[in-house]
Amino acid sequence: MEWRDEGVILSVRRHGETSAIAEIFTAQHGRALGLVRGGRSRAQRPVLQAGNAVAAVWRARLEEQLGTYSIEPLDLRAGAIMEAPFRLAGLATITGLAQQLPEREPHPRLYAAMRVVLEAIADDTLWPALLVRWELGLLEELGFGLDLSSCAATGSRDELIYVSPRSGKAVSAAAGAPYRDRLFRLPAFLREGGSATPADVVDGLTLMSFFLDRHVFKPRGVRFPDQQEWIIRALAERPH
């Protein structure tokens, strides 16, 4: 069997002397692995980098087999940010989180949103907030979406400024005031769109880290990516 798709490379590992196994998050076929013959060649190495967008052809005799990839470059961003630690941390975070998706399960909206984040990776004022929104979408796609539409305590849709760590639901300013030290801050840009300050993004990443770790990483016995904490620290040091 055979399929053709576009995708973003998530990881690459050596296989034998000359080949590699590429893990690609594809638009219509989800996260899929395949053998790239000659993947360690001088021509293929710049293409087979996490974060690069590629056109891929996957072939196998049976669907359950590993299969082989033929790959052509579409958008090679990885090499351009290798000397930019902040952007590299963002790239490593989003590709690492995408590796937690079930294999061969399509998530076209999440893929499209990933491409938006990667297309903005050169703009440090933009991509961190986009990453937070992408992580919110990842939680939803995995069945652990947060309910930010109304207050968990009162049902009100006004002044939603907190999130309950217990329920993952929004909490209004009035209802949350007595418990504010135990609640997460809900940054306005996650509900209303618009721009976000570094402090807003820190709040958003902290919120996403908690729920992703609880629902995705801890149940699998996997450590949450260190790069996200690095991004949070770097943003916290910036002027608000």
Side-chain angles (χ1 to χ4, degrees):
M1 64 174 302
E2 174 182 309
W3 51 256
R4 298 169 182 266
D5 208 344
E6 66 173 66
V8 173
I9 294 177
L10 302 181
S11 70
V12 180
R13 68 177 186 266
R14 176 175 175 170
H15 184 81
E17 292 298 319
T18 61
S19 299
I21 293 176
E23 179 182 21
I24 303 178
F25 181 31
T26 65
Q28 300 300 323
H29 296 84
R31 182 177 66 87
L33 284 78
L35 177 70
V36 182
R37 301 192 189 281
R40 300 186 62 243
S41 68
R42 182 173 299 178
Q44 287 278 19
R45 279 201 301 267
V47 178
L48 294 179
Q49 299 288 332
N52 284 342
V54 297
V57 180
W58 183 90
R59 297 183 180 91
R61 188 172 62 85
L62 300 173
E63 184 177 4
E64 61 269 20
Q65 292 178 324
L66 174 66
T68 61
Y69 272 133
S70 298
I71 290 176
E72 296 293 335
L74 290 178
D75 193 347
L76 305 185
R77 298 183 183 275
I81 66 170
M82 287 299 175
E83 302 302 320
F86 186 60
R87 298 170 189 176
L88 194 59
L91 177 64
T93 297
I94 197 169
T95 54
L97 292 175
Q99 287 179 280
Q100 306 308 311
L101 289 165
E103 191 173 352
R104 303 188 186 185
E105 182 177 282
H107 292 276
R109 290 190 304 171
L110 198 61
Y111 170 78
M114 174 184 271
R115 290 295 301 270
V116 171
V117 179
L118 294 178
E119 285 166 9
I121 202 72
D123 186 346
D124 292 341
T125 66
L126 180 58
W127 71 258
L130 294 176
L131 176 62
V132 177
R133 293 192 181 101
W134 185 86
E135 292 181 357
L136 184 65
L138 175 62
L139 279 168
E140 183 176 351
E141 293 272 324
L142 291 174
F144 305 110
L146 306 185
D147 183 356
L148 307 180
S149 61
S150 61
C151 177
T154 66
S156 171
R157 296 179 179 271
D158 300 324
E159 293 189 290
L160 302 178
I161 64 171
Y162 301 114
V163 177
S164 166
R166 188 176 59 143
S167 66
K169 295 182 179 181
V171 180
S172 69
Y179 316 102
R180 60 181 177 273
D181 293 339
R182 287 178 267 171
L183 300 173
F184 287 107
R185 181 175 175 269
L186 171 58
F189 79 94
L190 282 183
R191 293 195 64 250
E192 304 165 6
S195 60
T197 66
D200 292 332
V201 177
V202 166
D203 289 333
L205 288 172
T206 301
L207 178 65
M208 295 304 111
S209 295
F210 176 82
F211 286 102
L212 283 166
D213 195 38
R214 171 195 279 180
H215 293 303
V216 181
F217 287 86
K218 282 184 178 175
R220 304 180 188 187
V222 179
R223 180 183 174 88
F224 194 85
D226 292 334
Q227 292 89 347
Q228 179 126 321
E229 182 60 34
W230 191 92
I231 295 169
I232 290 172
R233 290 198 303 269
L235 286 168
E237 295 172 358
R238 295 187 174 186
H240 296 182

